[in-house]
Amino acid sequence: MSRENTFVVVGGGLAAGKAAEQLREHGHDGPLLVIGDELERPYVRPPLSKGYLLGKEDRESIHVHPEGWYREHGVDLLLGTSVTSVDARAKEVTLDDGRRVPYAKLLLATGSSPRRLSVPGADLENVLYLRRVGDSERLKAAFTEGARIVVVGGGWIGLETAAAARTAGAEVTVLEHAELPLLKVLGREAAEVFAGLHREHGVDLRPRAQLERVTGIGGRVSGVRLADGSHLPADAVVVGVGITPNVRLAEEAGLEVRNGIVTDEHLRTSVADIHAAGDVANAYHPRLGRHLRVEHWANALHQPRTAALSMLGQKAVYDRLPYFYTDQYDLGMEYTGYAEPGGYDRVVFRGARDERRFIAFWMSGNRVLAGMSVNVWDVVGTIRAVIESGVETEDAVLCDPAVPLESLLL
């Protein structure tokens, strides 16, 4: 394979699959190679903690494209293969079998990896993480009627897996180091909604819990011991304590790395002809005036278009507001915008929090920074438009369900 017009994408997730699609759609007709270290062709990760884990979606549905798509579009898939290094000067990547692949343009969509537990016993059998399709299948096998499941971490992955385990009839305890799950992400008022939801469904929420060790018998998990001396029996321990961007290749290649691979608003890295997208990209966001690394599906879905256009020498800017969603029990939620801890004044609610049917707005002065709809549908686009418009709105108007949100834009 010659370097001339060869585009290489490193990664096996949604960002990699969509990047190949966007490159072909926008006119790249040269060689295009997607290199993934899993044997699975590029797939989408949210179902791993949602529909696929619950048995509502089949394996085929998680893939970005049907199997024949890559062949039909002249995309070479190199699966079960790791890139061991990037030589930015020679413009080539080295594979784990020693082969060197030259590139004209390179996209790093290397994603992230779960943070590992560092306490004694963390290497016992049935200490489970969730990142890959095989992880989801191991969780599904562990979530059975009457199984005792301890979830370490009360973030999105922790709560979604807790909901799946309870739905399967398991006994579930969630260990959360803060006072409430999602407290740092959502603030107290909204976090209390999710805590109440899980308690109502029989989850034992343990706030301010400190895990001291994982106990085992015969090499397999038997429970966890907490710093207060209590011991919780467990058939499996699910760990959801955050993820770390996979930056080794970028770092060793001399790219600027700071909480991910640093890029500009065009998703160009600090080294010419190398771009980054998805979980791993700490991209400058022109609308927010800061660099932002977003660990959610929407970034992996939408950033590849900007990256592809930039790789093709066309002008494109990624300024889409962050978006994420969750499904837990009978609760569906969508969130858009950006409100960092301490970066907003208050949260204003429209609707019934006690019925878990409402919209929440994170406010700075009279401007909406972010919005979240819970069991209220077809409003997230309007919320995004309100945020992007910068319109100033009184709390009383936002609270009043009789005032259509669209009227705020008039």
Side-chain angles (χ1 to χ4, degrees):
M1 188 179 285
S2 70
R3 174 175 298 103
E4 188 180 350
N5 216 22
T6 296
F7 283 22
V8 172
V9 178
V10 182
L14 175 59
K18 292 302 284 188
E21 174 190 309
Q22 292 293 319
L23 284 165
R24 285 296 187 233
E25 196 171 293
H26 290 285
H28 176 63
D29 56 5
L32 177 53
L33 181 61
V34 175
I35 307 171
D37 62 4
E38 294 184 67
L39 292 171
E40 205 79 33
R41 70 183 185 275
Y43 63 90
V44 187
R45 298 189 194 276
L48 304 188
S49 62
K50 299 179 176 73
Y52 187 65
L53 179 57
L54 289 162
K56 295 178 180 176
E57 298 176 42
D58 63 23
R59 192 182 181 102
E60 188 58 31
S61 71
I62 70 173
H63 294 103
V64 182
H65 299 111
E67 193 166 5
W69 183 91
Y70 297 92
R71 185 175 58 254
E72 290 162 14
H73 290 82
V75 177
D76 293 314
L77 274 183
L78 204 53
L79 303 179
T81 303
S82 296
V83 173
T84 56
S85 66
V86 174
D87 187 332
R89 185 169 295 176
K91 295 182 73 170
E92 60 185 20
V93 300
T94 301
L95 308 182
D96 51 9
D97 61 5
R99 277 183 293 166
R100 291 169 176 264
V101 178
Y103 66 83
K105 303 281 184 179
L106 174 66
L107 176 67
L108 297 175
T110 48
S112 50
S113 299
R115 290 198 189 109
R116 316 298 285 189
L117 275 187
S118 57
V119 299
D123 55 352
L124 287 166
E125 187 184 341
N126 255 24
V127 174
L128 305 173
Y129 296 81
L130 180 57
R131 184 63 186 172
R132 302 188 167 201
V133 64
D135 298 334
S136 184
E137 288 163 357
R138 280 185 284 277
L139 290 177
K140 196 186 298 187
F143 294 171
T144 57
E145 185 78 38
R148 298 164 302 178
I149 307 296
V150 172
V151 178
V152 183
W156 296 116
I157 291 294
L159 294 189
E160 287 177 1
T161 54
R166 278 301 294 147
T167 300
E171 298 173 18
V172 181
T173 302
V174 173
L175 306 179
E176 167 55 43
H177 67 84
E179 184 186 345
L180 288 166
L182 303 173
L183 183 60
K184 188 176 178 182
V185 182
L186 297 179
R188 176 174 302 279
E189 300 98 330
E192 283 173 347
V193 171
F194 285 89
L197 171 73
H198 280 268
R199 288 194 179 106
E200 278 183 30
H201 282 84
V203 173
D204 180 6
L205 282 182
R206 301 284 185 102
R208 299 194 183 90
Q210 287 183 286
L211 179 63
E212 198 168 78
R213 67 184 304 120
V214 180
T215 60
I217 298 171
R220 188 180 175 89
V221 163
S222 63
V224 297
R225 188 168 301 284
L226 304 183
D228 64 7
S230 61
H231 182 264
L232 304 174
D235 300 302
V237 173
V238 181
V239 182
V241 291
I243 59 177
T244 304
N246 295 328
V247 297
R248 182 189 63 80
L249 286 176
E251 216 160 34
E252 292 177 359
L255 278 64
E256 184 183 356
V257 170
R258 187 178 67 251
N259 180 31
I261 302 172
V262 176
T263 78
D264 62 12
E265 64 268 38
H266 312 292
L267 300 179
R268 300 178 302 201
T269 71
S270 59
V271 171
D273 300 320
I274 302 180
H275 296 68
D279 280 6
V280 78
N282 186 10
Y284 181 76
H285 198 293
R287 194 178 292 279
L288 300 172
R290 54 162 294 164
H291 278 82
L292 197 62
R293 189 174 68 80
V294 178
E295 301 170 349
H296 293 292
W297 161 87
N299 254 35
L301 177 68
H302 296 295
Q303 277 189 345
R305 180 180 184 277
T306 301
L309 289 169
S310 293
M311 291 168 79
L312 292 165
Q314 300 177 38
K315 194 167 183 182
V317 168
Y318 190 76
D319 63 356
R320 193 179 181 90
L321 288 173
Y323 166 91
F324 60 89
Y325 72 100
T326 191
D327 297 307
Q328 299 173 32
Y329 310 109
D330 56 354
L331 181 148
M333 179 277 273
E334 294 182 276
Y335 175 106
T336 189
Y338 182 70
E340 61 184 331
Y344 59 92
D345 303 334
R346 64 200 180 283
V347 183
V348 174
F349 289 88
R350 167 188 289 225
R353 248 189 301 172
D354 55 341
E355 295 174 16
R356 290 194 281 272
R357 189 174 288 105
F358 63 88
I359 304 172
F361 301 94
W362 280 258
M363 306 296 295
S364 175
N366 286 338
R367 289 183 56 208
V368 180
L369 301 178
M372 177 177 80
S373 61
V374 172
N375 289 340
V376 178
W377 302 109
D378 302 322
V379 295
V380 75
T382 307
I383 294 170
R384 182 185 295 117
V386 168
I387 297 167
E388 290 176 346
S389 73
V391 64
E392 298 211 346
T393 312
E394 297 294 330
D395 288 9
V397 173
L398 284 174
C399 288
D400 188 351
V403 179
L405 287 178
E406 291 83 354
S407 69
L408 304 180
L409 299 166
L410 299 177

